[in-house]
Amino acid sequence: MDTTVAQTLYPLHRCKTLHLVRHAQGIHNVEGEKNHDAYLSYDLFDAHLTPLGWKQVHNLRKHVQASGLSKRIDLVITSPLLRTMQTAVGVFGGEAYTDGIEATPLMAANAGNSDHSAISSLNCPPFVAVELCREHLGVHPCDKRRNIKEYRPLFPAIDFSLIENDDDVLWTPDVREKNEEVAARGLKFLSWLWTRKEKEIAVVTHSGFLYHMLSSFGNDCHPTVKSEICTHFANCELRSVVIVDRSLMGSDSSTTNYPGKIPHGLDLPSDVAGKLQENNANK
Protein backbone atom coordinates (compact mmCIF):
# COMPACT_ATOMS: atom_id res chain seq x y z
CA MET A 1 0.00 0.00 0.00
CA ASP A 2 1.05 3.62 -0.53
CA THR A 3 1.62 4.90 3.00
CA THR A 4 2.24 8.45 1.76
CA VAL A 5 -1.51 8.96 1.30
CA ALA A 6 -2.68 6.99 4.30
CA GLN A 7 -3.99 9.86 6.39
CA THR A 8 -7.77 10.12 6.70
CA LEU A 9 -10.10 12.65 8.32
CA TYR A 10 -13.43 11.87 10.04
CA PRO A 11 -15.88 14.09 11.92
CA LEU A 12 -15.19 13.89 15.65
CA HIS A 13 -18.80 13.11 16.56
CA ARG A 14 -18.63 9.97 14.39
CA CYS A 15 -15.76 8.55 16.47
CA LYS A 16 -15.52 6.81 19.83
CA THR A 17 -12.43 6.12 21.92
CA LEU A 18 -12.21 2.60 23.34
CA HIS A 19 -9.81 1.58 26.09
CA LEU A 20 -9.54 -2.19 25.66
CA VAL A 21 -8.34 -4.26 28.63
CA ARG A 22 -7.69 -7.96 28.97
CA HIS A 23 -8.43 -9.26 32.48
CA ALA A 24 -5.56 -9.79 34.91
CA GLN A 25 -4.07 -13.21 35.57
CA GLY A 26 -6.67 -15.82 36.52
CA ILE A 27 -6.21 -19.23 38.08
CA HIS A 28 -6.96 -20.80 34.67
CA ASN A 29 -4.01 -18.95 33.08
CA VAL A 30 -1.64 -20.52 35.59
CA GLU A 31 -3.01 -24.05 35.39
CA GLY A 32 -3.56 -23.94 31.63
CA GLU A 33 0.02 -22.91 30.94
CA LYS A 34 1.26 -25.88 32.98
CA ASN A 35 -1.09 -28.30 31.24
CA HIS A 36 -3.52 -27.31 28.50
CA ASP A 37 -5.88 -30.11 29.51
CA ALA A 38 -6.51 -28.19 32.74
CA TYR A 39 -8.84 -25.91 30.77
CA LEU A 40 -11.29 -28.83 30.72
CA SER A 41 -11.41 -29.00 34.53
CA TYR A 42 -14.48 -27.84 36.41
CA ASP A 43 -12.12 -26.83 39.22
CA LEU A 44 -11.52 -23.72 37.07
CA PHE A 45 -15.22 -22.91 36.63
CA ASP A 46 -15.65 -19.11 36.25
CA ALA A 47 -11.98 -18.58 37.08
CA HIS A 48 -11.14 -15.79 39.53
CA LEU A 49 -7.97 -13.68 39.74
CA THR A 50 -4.80 -14.92 41.38
CA PRO A 51 -2.92 -12.83 43.99
CA LEU A 52 -0.52 -11.90 41.18
CA GLY A 53 -3.51 -10.89 39.08
CA TRP A 54 -4.61 -8.46 41.79
CA LYS A 55 -1.12 -6.92 41.79
CA GLN A 56 -1.49 -6.44 38.02
CA VAL A 57 -4.86 -4.76 38.63
CA HIS A 58 -3.38 -2.36 41.16
CA ASN A 59 -0.53 -1.42 38.82
CA LEU A 60 -2.89 -0.73 35.92
CA ARG A 61 -5.06 1.31 38.27
CA LYS A 62 -2.05 3.49 39.13
CA HIS A 63 -1.41 3.99 35.42
CA VAL A 64 -4.97 5.04 34.50
CA GLN A 65 -5.01 7.48 37.40
CA ALA A 66 -1.57 8.95 36.69
CA SER A 67 -2.39 9.37 32.99
CA GLY A 68 -5.69 11.11 33.73
CA LEU A 69 -7.58 8.38 31.90
CA SER A 70 -9.74 7.56 34.91
CA LYS A 71 -11.30 11.04 34.75
CA ARG A 72 -12.17 10.81 31.06
CA ILE A 73 -14.01 7.49 30.88
CA ASP A 74 -17.80 7.78 30.50
CA LEU A 75 -18.66 4.08 30.80
CA VAL A 76 -17.05 0.78 31.79
CA ILE A 77 -18.28 -2.34 29.99
CA THR A 78 -17.30 -5.71 31.39
CA SER A 79 -17.76 -9.33 30.43
CA PRO A 80 -19.93 -10.97 33.13
CA LEU A 81 -17.32 -13.37 34.49
CA LEU A 82 -15.53 -13.16 37.83
CA ARG A 83 -12.08 -12.38 36.45
CA THR A 84 -13.24 -9.58 34.17
CA MET A 85 -15.52 -7.96 36.74
CA GLN A 86 -12.80 -8.14 39.40
CA THR A 87 -10.38 -6.50 36.95
CA ALA A 88 -12.89 -3.85 35.88
CA VAL A 89 -13.82 -2.68 39.38
CA GLY A 90 -10.24 -2.92 40.61
CA VAL A 91 -8.88 -0.76 37.78
CA PHE A 92 -11.70 1.73 37.17
CA GLY A 93 -13.63 1.64 40.46
CA GLY A 94 -13.39 3.88 43.50
CA GLU A 95 -11.36 3.57 46.64
CA ALA A 96 -11.85 0.98 49.38
CA TYR A 97 -15.48 0.94 50.52
CA THR A 98 -16.21 1.88 54.11
CA ASP A 99 -19.45 1.99 56.05
CA GLY A 100 -21.15 5.36 55.91
CA ILE A 101 -20.25 6.10 52.30
CA GLU A 102 -23.42 6.98 50.40
CA ALA A 103 -22.54 4.88 47.36
CA THR A 104 -23.29 1.27 46.57
CA PRO A 105 -20.12 -0.87 46.58
CA LEU A 106 -18.93 -2.02 43.18
CA MET A 107 -17.55 -5.17 44.75
CA ALA A 108 -18.26 -6.77 48.11
CA ALA A 109 -15.38 -7.81 50.31
CA ASN A 110 -13.74 -11.11 49.31
CA ALA A 111 -15.90 -11.42 46.18
CA GLY A 112 -14.86 -14.46 44.18
CA ASN A 113 -12.28 -15.71 46.69
CA SER A 114 -10.38 -12.47 46.18
CA ASP A 115 -9.30 -11.83 49.78
CA HIS A 116 -9.77 -8.20 48.74
CA SER A 117 -11.56 -5.41 50.57
CA ALA A 118 -14.80 -3.99 49.20
CA ILE A 119 -14.52 -1.40 46.40
CA SER A 120 -16.64 1.75 46.32
CA SER A 121 -18.58 3.12 43.36
CA LEU A 122 -18.13 6.70 44.59
CA ASN A 123 -17.16 9.13 41.80
CA CYS A 124 -17.03 6.33 39.21
CA PRO A 125 -18.55 5.98 35.74
CA PRO A 126 -21.38 3.46 35.28
CA PHE A 127 -20.40 -0.22 35.01
CA VAL A 128 -22.44 -2.43 32.67
CA ALA A 129 -22.10 -6.21 32.14
CA VAL A 130 -22.50 -7.31 28.50
CA GLU A 131 -22.64 -10.89 27.21
CA LEU A 132 -21.41 -9.99 23.70
CA CYS A 133 -17.84 -9.44 24.92
CA ARG A 134 -17.42 -12.80 26.63
CA GLU A 135 -14.56 -15.20 25.89
CA HIS A 136 -14.82 -18.15 23.47
CA LEU A 137 -17.99 -19.96 24.46
CA GLY A 138 -18.21 -23.66 25.25
CA VAL A 139 -16.16 -26.65 26.48
CA HIS A 140 -13.83 -24.77 28.87
CA PRO A 141 -15.51 -24.41 32.29
CA CYS A 142 -13.35 -21.36 33.09
CA ASP A 143 -15.40 -19.50 30.45
CA LYS A 144 -18.78 -20.49 31.88
CA ARG A 145 -20.46 -17.86 34.04
CA ARG A 146 -22.51 -18.25 37.19
CA ASN A 147 -26.17 -17.33 37.44
CA ILE A 148 -26.64 -13.57 37.49
CA LYS A 149 -28.44 -13.77 40.83
CA GLU A 150 -25.15 -15.05 42.30
CA TYR A 151 -23.23 -12.06 40.94
CA ARG A 152 -25.56 -9.32 42.11
CA PRO A 153 -24.59 -9.42 45.82
CA LEU A 154 -20.91 -9.73 44.88
CA PHE A 155 -20.97 -6.72 42.52
CA PRO A 156 -23.92 -4.61 43.70
CA ALA A 157 -23.21 -1.53 41.58
CA ILE A 158 -22.66 -3.33 38.27
CA ASP A 159 -25.68 -3.10 35.97
CA PHE A 160 -26.71 -6.59 34.81
CA SER A 161 -29.99 -5.47 33.23
CA LEU A 162 -28.81 -6.08 29.64
CA ILE A 163 -28.34 -9.81 30.32
CA GLU A 164 -31.56 -11.58 29.41
CA ASN A 165 -31.11 -14.96 31.10
CA ASP A 166 -30.20 -15.62 34.70
CA ASP A 167 -28.46 -18.89 33.88
CA ASP A 168 -25.76 -19.28 31.23
CA VAL A 169 -27.60 -20.40 28.10
CA LEU A 170 -24.68 -19.50 25.78
CA TRP A 171 -22.07 -21.96 27.09
CA THR A 172 -22.27 -25.61 26.08
CA PRO A 173 -20.07 -28.43 27.40
CA ASP A 174 -19.40 -30.15 24.07
CA VAL A 175 -19.18 -27.43 21.38
CA ARG A 176 -16.50 -24.74 21.33
CA GLU A 177 -17.33 -21.50 19.52
CA LYS A 178 -15.40 -21.18 16.23
CA ASN A 179 -12.87 -18.38 15.77
CA GLU A 180 -14.90 -16.80 12.98
CA GLU A 181 -17.98 -16.86 15.20
CA VAL A 182 -16.06 -15.01 17.92
CA ALA A 183 -14.93 -12.46 15.31
CA ALA A 184 -18.52 -11.96 14.11
CA ARG A 185 -19.70 -11.54 17.70
CA GLY A 186 -16.97 -8.94 18.19
CA LEU A 187 -18.17 -6.93 15.20
CA LYS A 188 -21.72 -7.17 16.52
CA PHE A 189 -20.44 -5.83 19.85
CA LEU A 190 -18.79 -2.86 18.12
CA SER A 191 -22.01 -2.14 16.23
CA TRP A 192 -23.89 -2.21 19.54
CA LEU A 193 -21.48 0.36 20.96
CA TRP A 194 -22.83 2.86 18.45
CA THR A 195 -26.20 2.69 20.18
CA ARG A 196 -24.52 4.17 23.28
CA LYS A 197 -24.22 7.92 23.79
CA GLU A 198 -20.89 7.65 25.65
CA LYS A 199 -17.81 8.71 23.68
CA GLU A 200 -14.97 7.30 25.78
CA ILE A 201 -15.53 3.73 26.92
CA ALA A 202 -13.43 1.16 28.77
CA VAL A 203 -14.04 -2.48 27.81
CA VAL A 204 -12.72 -5.22 30.11
CA THR A 205 -12.81 -8.55 28.33
CA HIS A 206 -10.74 -11.56 27.24
CA SER A 207 -7.72 -12.44 25.12
CA GLY A 208 -9.47 -14.62 22.54
CA PHE A 209 -12.37 -12.21 22.11
CA LEU A 210 -10.04 -9.22 21.62
CA TYR A 211 -7.72 -11.04 19.23
CA HIS A 212 -10.43 -12.32 16.90
CA MET A 213 -12.46 -9.10 16.98
CA LEU A 214 -9.46 -6.88 16.25
CA SER A 215 -8.04 -9.17 13.54
CA SER A 216 -10.83 -7.88 11.30
CA PHE A 217 -9.11 -4.49 11.26
CA GLY A 218 -5.87 -2.95 10.08
CA ASN A 219 -5.58 -4.65 6.68
CA ASP A 220 -5.40 -1.22 5.00
CA CYS A 221 -2.68 0.01 7.39
CA HIS A 222 1.09 -0.14 7.56
CA PRO A 223 2.15 -3.57 8.91
CA THR A 224 3.41 -1.95 12.12
CA VAL A 225 -0.01 -0.43 12.74
CA LYS A 226 -1.67 -3.75 11.95
CA SER A 227 0.51 -5.47 14.56
CA GLU A 228 -0.30 -2.79 17.13
CA ILE A 229 -3.98 -3.59 16.66
CA CYS A 230 -4.02 -7.34 16.25
CA THR A 231 -1.40 -8.97 18.49
CA HIS A 232 -2.52 -10.95 21.54
CA PHE A 233 -3.03 -8.98 24.75
CA ALA A 234 -0.99 -9.68 27.89
CA ASN A 235 -2.84 -10.04 31.19
CA CYS A 236 -4.06 -6.62 32.32
CA GLU A 237 -2.78 -4.92 29.15
CA LEU A 238 -4.60 -1.78 28.03
CA ARG A 239 -4.71 -0.49 24.46
CA SER A 240 -6.57 2.64 23.40
CA VAL A 241 -8.11 2.76 19.93
CA VAL A 242 -10.54 4.96 18.01
CA ILE A 243 -13.46 3.49 16.09
CA VAL A 244 -15.14 5.40 13.29
CA ASP A 245 -18.79 5.34 12.23
CA ARG A 246 -18.61 5.31 8.43
CA SER A 247 -22.15 4.05 7.87
CA LEU A 248 -24.19 6.40 10.08
CA MET A 249 -25.00 3.67 12.63
CA GLY A 250 -24.70 6.32 15.34
CA SER A 251 -27.17 9.18 15.50
CA ASP A 252 -25.37 11.69 17.71
CA SER A 253 -24.94 15.23 16.46
CA SER A 254 -21.74 17.12 17.18
CA THR A 255 -21.41 18.86 20.54
CA THR A 256 -18.44 20.96 19.36
CA ASN A 257 -19.30 22.03 15.77
CA TYR A 258 -20.65 25.58 15.42
CA PRO A 259 -22.66 26.68 12.36
CA GLY A 260 -21.23 30.21 12.08
CA LYS A 261 -22.79 33.17 10.33
CA ILE A 262 -24.46 34.33 13.55
CA PRO A 263 -25.44 37.15 13.00
CA HIS A 264 -26.01 36.60 9.29
CA GLY A 265 -23.68 38.48 6.95
CA LEU A 266 -21.91 38.33 3.59
CA ASP A 267 -19.19 35.70 3.69
CA LEU A 268 -18.51 34.47 0.15
CA PRO A 269 -14.94 33.06 0.00
CA SER A 270 -12.61 34.96 -2.34
CA ASP A 271 -11.98 32.04 -4.69
CA VAL A 272 -15.70 31.38 -5.02
CA ALA A 273 -16.36 35.09 -5.58
CA GLY A 274 -13.70 35.14 -8.33
CA LYS A 275 -15.24 32.23 -10.15
CA LEU A 276 -18.71 33.75 -9.79
CA GLN A 277 -17.46 37.04 -11.26
CA GLU A 278 -15.74 35.18 -14.12
CA ASN A 279 -18.90 33.20 -14.90
CA ASN A 280 -21.00 36.41 -14.93
CA ALA A 281 -18.53 38.05 -17.27
CA ASN A 282 -18.70 35.17 -19.73
CA LYS A 283 -22.47 35.26 -19.98
Side-chain angles (χ1 to χ4, degrees):
M1 63 174 293
D2 185 0
T3 58
T4 62
V5 292
Q7 294 89 359
T8 306
L9 290 177
Y10 292 100
L12 179 62
H13 66 285
R14 303 210 181 277
C15 302
K16 290 183 188 289
T17 300
L18 303 183
H19 303 286
L20 305 174
V21 178
R22 179 191 176 192
H23 63 78
Q25 185 194 69
I27 58 171
H28 66 305
N29 296 131
V30 176
E31 298 304 319
E33 189 160 333
K34 295 176 184 176
N35 178 6
H36 190 267
D37 289 341
Y39 286 114
L40 300 176
S41 172
Y42 277 83
D43 290 340
L44 300 179
F45 166 62
D46 192 16
H48 57 80
L49 297 187
T50 65
L52 178 67
W54 277 106
K55 291 179 181 178
Q56 295 171 341
V57 166
H58 295 153
N59 284 331
L60 179 54
R61 177 182 177 82
K62 291 176 184 176
H63 168 74
V64 299
Q65 291 183 329
S67 65
L69 180 59
S70 59
K71 296 180 180 179
R72 302 202 307 268
I73 290 175
D74 304 315
L75 174 69
V76 179
I77 293 172
T78 177
S79 163
L81 276 83
L82 271 179
R83 60 189 183 271
T84 42
M85 292 189 287
Q86 288 174 327
T87 301
V89 301
V91 172
F92 300 108
E95 303 297 334
Y97 181 84
T98 57
D99 291 337
I101 294 179
E102 294 184 3
T104 304
L106 272 169
M107 187 181 82
N110 197 37
N113 299 314
S114 63
D115 195 27
H116 196 285
S117 58
I119 297 174
S120 171
S121 64
L122 190 65
N123 299 321
C124 294
F127 283 67
V128 178
V130 177
E131 295 260 48
L132 277 174
C133 62
R134 285 177 59 177
E135 183 57 294
H136 262 98
L137 296 166
V139 180
H140 294 174
C142 60
D143 300 326
K144 177 175 173 58
R145 69 163 171 82
R146 300 166 195 267
N147 290 346
I148 297 302
K149 63 184 178 185
E150 295 180 58
Y151 287 140
R152 292 188 189 277
L154 300 179
F155 301 95
I158 292 183
D159 181 358
F160 294 98
S161 64
L162 296 180
I163 298 178
E164 296 180 357
N165 299 98
D166 181 59
D167 55 341
D168 189 355
V169 299
L170 301 177
W171 187 92
T172 56
D174 52 354
V175 178
R176 185 77 167 161
E177 193 176 19
K178 296 178 181 178
N179 292 343
E180 55 267 29
E181 292 172 331
V182 179
R185 179 159 56 84
L187 296 180
K188 185 177 180 180
F189 172 71
L190 292 178
S191 295
W192 172 80
L193 284 179
W194 286 109
T195 69
R196 304 289 310 194
K197 297 292 185 181
E198 297 87 358
K199 292 298 184 182
E200 195 149 352
I201 301 173
V203 180
V204 183
T205 179
H206 306 266
S207 173
F209 175 79
L210 286 167
Y211 179 77
H212 294 294
M213 176 181 72
L214 295 175
S215 292
S216 304
F217 297 93
N219 295 321
D220 56 348
C221 298
H222 187 280
T224 300
V225 177
K226 172 73 173 177
S227 68
E228 289 176 346
I229 296 172
C230 300
T231 54
H232 283 284
F233 278 61
N235 280 133
C236 225
E237 181 180 352
L238 180 152
R239 292 182 206 167
S240 299
V241 299
V242 175
I243 58 171
V244 175
D245 179 13
R246 303 192 199 194
S247 58
L248 299 183
M249 286 186 291
S251 59
D252 291 353
S253 58
S254 173
T255 60
T256 58
N257 288 358
Y258 184 75
K261 213 168 184 175
I262 301 173
H264 186 277
L266 299 176
D267 66 348
L268 199 64
S270 59
D271 54 343
V272 177
K275 289 182 180 179
L276 183 61
Q277 183 175 352
E278 181 181 343
N279 290 339
N280 290 335
N282 292 333
K283 288 182 179 179

